[in-house]
Amino acid sequence: MTIFSRVISKDTRKVLSIAIPAALKHLVDILQILIDMLMVGMISISALAAVGMSMQFMMVINVLMTLYVVGGNALISRFIGQGRKRRASSLLYSLLIVASILSIFVTIGGYFGSKYLYAIMGAQGDVVEQGALYFKILSLGIILVFIDTLIYNALSAAGDTKNSLYIKLVSAAINAFLNYVFIFGHYGFDAMGIEGAAYATLMAYCFNLLAYYILLKKPYSKLNIIPIIRIKDIIRAWHVGWSAALERGISSISFLFFVSIIAAYGTAELAGYQVGLRIEGIAFMPGFGFAIAATALVGQSLGANNREKAYKMGIISGRVAYIFMGFVGFFLIMFPEFLVGFFTQDAQTIAVASYYLIFVGLAQIPLAIMFVYSGALRGAGATKTTLKVSIVSLWIFRVIPSYIAYKMGYGIVAIFIIMNVETLIKGIIYVYIYKQKRWLDTKI
């Protein structure tokens, strides 16, 4: 027995074994986006803006993916907890078909409506042209994104995040290399510009799916491909997923309203917020990891009909998340200017972003509570509860007070304070709901 195993309990080790690889994969996702943006930015400002705006479209597409991902996660984790790997694997197969069908609508809309999408977002002529070239190609391969997202989440729900991390590390390297080859024209290829970036992205997704296919064919894999369709299980996943998708949609709309309020303060304030948001995305890394662990382990424990263990796994995930995110928060509070300096040298932008990071740093523990306990509730299938919390919290405690503060002439710092208060209130709400334990009785 190692010193590590003596000091840390078996359940805590189980949480860490899922959370750490998931957090690292999230970090690689962010780094891949940053590398993409860096390379595309070498083409032109218009190309950079076009790719950046495409990420806003992906936020909307993520709402559609949530329909089958969250419900699938809840059911798959329960089936694994019940020792019904075959049933979980057949649900994965069924959801692969659902994902493929849904992706067809996105492909058609994205391919034929890409110019219109950029135009209604207020993009200038060059950005519209570049964006149409990029998003048309991406839309043709959107099925790869849908299936990749489903398989990653399904394996996570089954307790396997390590293999997804390994696949992502290779995939990110492939994407960066192909960006270099296709965008700028190397090794005999013509320079394709922004179209090359789209092709590189899709080829990296092709690698992901090939790697996942090989993994799922292995007998020892947490899930396999079992070509059985159970309509009943698809409906059960839908009943959980629709409210999660609605929550994601409302959250996205709320976020856009909140950003529009910040934008009204001026360019420096908006730029500072955007820089702070990018750094915050990296800071969120532990929270995402422990949320995934809570979702998987709570669902598996409920599948094993062990309510006390389900409750306990959420508590353990939360406690470890507090430590990790508390440390991150301390770093954000102590060194905001240093972190912002990597992104901009504009004094006013640095000042705004630094204020933002200090407030975000103070909110890390309530954020850890929100991430983990909401993840635990989704793992139990209690998505209607998380939907209600999101609607009340985001609109009553963030968006509306921020708008009032702006109209009353308060500065940008007041908006950041309101954001922190909303995060704290949401954390308290989740603690109350979690300790009530009613969510443990959710039927799916």
Side-chain angles (χ1 to χ4, degrees):
M1 184 180 288
T2 64
I3 295 174
F4 180 79
S5 60
R6 289 196 196 101
V7 174
I8 300 180
S9 70
K10 181 181 177 182
D11 287 339
T12 303
R13 292 200 302 273
K14 188 177 287 187
V15 168
L16 291 171
S17 71
I18 295 174
I20 291 176
L24 290 174
K25 181 188 178 293
H26 174 64
L27 175 61
V28 178
D29 284 334
I30 292 171
L31 292 176
Q32 181 177 331
I33 291 170
L34 290 177
I35 291 169
D36 274 357
M37 298 293 279
L38 179 66
M39 289 188 170
V40 170
M42 294 178 185
I43 304 169
S44 68
I45 295 297
S46 297
L48 181 62
V51 173
M53 289 182 73
S54 75
M55 293 177 187
Q56 303 299 317
F57 304 150
M58 291 305 297
M59 284 176 59
V60 178
I61 293 170
N62 279 334
V63 174
L64 196 57
M65 289 192 282
T66 303
L67 278 171
Y68 58 84
V69 165
V70 174
N73 287 354
L75 269 180
I76 286 170
S77 61
R78 289 211 184 194
F79 287 148
I80 293 296
Q82 292 165 358
R84 301 166 76 186
K85 177 183 172 181
R86 185 175 174 84
R87 184 71 172 266
S89 298
S90 69
L91 175 58
L92 172 59
Y93 178 80
S94 301
L95 293 177
L96 284 170
I97 294 173
V98 172
S100 300
I101 294 170
L102 288 175
S103 71
I104 293 171
F105 297 101
V106 177
T107 295
I108 294 170
Y111 185 80
F112 291 105
S114 54
K115 275 193 176 182
Y116 177 72
L117 289 171
Y118 279 93
I120 62 172
M121 289 285 287
Q124 299 298 314
D126 287 347
V127 176
V128 172
E129 290 299 321
Q130 291 284 301
L133 290 172
Y134 180 79
F135 204 68
K136 270 187 177 183
I137 296 168
L138 209 61
S139 296
L140 289 174
I142 206 73
I143 186 173
L144 304 174
V145 181
F146 273 58
I147 293 175
D148 175 79
T149 302
L150 171 62
I151 296 175
Y152 164 66
N153 279 277
L155 285 170
S156 299
D160 179 10
T161 52
K162 288 181 183 176
N163 282 305
S164 294
L165 170 62
Y166 301 147
I167 291 169
K168 185 63 186 181
L169 285 168
V170 179
S171 171
I174 290 172
N175 187 69
F177 174 73
L178 292 179
N179 272 343
Y180 173 76
V181 173
F182 293 158
I183 292 174
F184 307 112
H186 293 286
Y187 301 105
F189 287 89
D190 293 331
M192 294 184 245
I194 196 169
E195 292 173 286
Y199 287 124
T201 298
L202 293 183
M203 290 186 74
Y205 272 111
C206 285
F207 167 80
N208 287 358
L209 297 196
L210 177 61
Y212 278 131
Y213 177 78
I214 293 170
L215 174 63
L216 293 171
K217 296 294 285 185
K218 302 288 185 184
Y220 61 78
S221 176
K222 292 281 188 180
L223 293 171
N224 303 120
I225 299 173
I226 306 292
I228 298 173
I229 299 175
R230 289 185 173 89
I231 300 299
K232 178 183 177 182
D233 286 348
I234 295 175
I235 293 171
R236 290 171 70 186
W238 160 261
H239 282 313
V240 175
W242 75 262
S243 45
L246 185 58
E247 178 193 349
R248 176 70 69 88
I250 290 171
S251 296
S252 298
I253 293 168
S254 304
F255 174 76
L256 291 175
F257 271 99
F258 186 66
V259 171
S260 69
I261 293 168
I262 292 173
Y265 279 92
T267 303
E269 285 79 4
L270 179 60
Y273 172 72
Q274 294 289 356
V275 169
L277 205 61
R278 289 189 184 281
I279 297 170
E280 185 185 26
I282 299 172
F284 278 174
M285 180 182 66
F288 281 116
F290 288 104
I292 289 169
T295 298
L297 296 172
V298 166
Q300 290 176 24
S301 299
L302 289 173
N305 202 27
N306 191 335
R307 294 172 78 259
E308 285 307 310
K309 187 174 183 180
Y311 181 80
K312 180 183 175 184
M313 296 312 289
I315 294 293
I316 291 172
S317 299
R319 285 174 181 169
V320 183
Y322 307 158
I323 296 170
F324 276 85
M325 293 189 72
F327 176 77
V328 170
F330 175 79
F331 195 77
L332 293 176
I333 293 167
M334 296 301 295
F335 309 105
E337 291 91 352
F338 171 75
L339 294 169
V340 176
F342 286 103
F343 293 85
T344 181
Q345 297 303 315
D346 180 74
Q348 195 174 352
T349 302
I350 289 174
V352 174
S354 296
Y355 277 124
Y356 180 82
L357 290 181
I358 290 169
F359 283 110
V360 166
L362 292 170
Q364 286 300 294
I365 291 178
L367 275 170
I369 294 170
M370 184 187 76
F371 275 127
V372 173
Y373 287 175
S374 64
L377 264 63
R378 291 187 189 97
T383 51
K384 292 183 179 66
T385 301
T386 58
L387 169 63
K388 292 172 186 174
V389 172
S390 286
I391 292 173
V392 171
S393 181
L394 286 171
W395 283 94
I396 303 301
F397 300 121
R398 180 180 290 205
V399 176
I400 294 173
S402 294
Y403 180 75
I404 293 170
Y406 167 71
K407 284 296 185 181
M408 291 180 68
Y410 289 98
I412 192 68
V413 173
I415 305 301
F416 295 159
I417 291 172
I418 290 168
M419 178 187 72
N420 262 33
V421 170
E422 185 267 333
T423 301
L424 177 61
I425 292 171
K426 189 183 285 185
I428 292 169
I429 291 171
Y430 271 117
V431 169
Y432 175 78
I433 291 170
Y434 197 85
K435 290 189 173 182
Q436 289 291 301
K437 296 186 178 181
R438 292 185 191 131
W439 56 273
L440 290 166
D441 298 315
T442 305
K443 304 296 180 185
I444 60 174

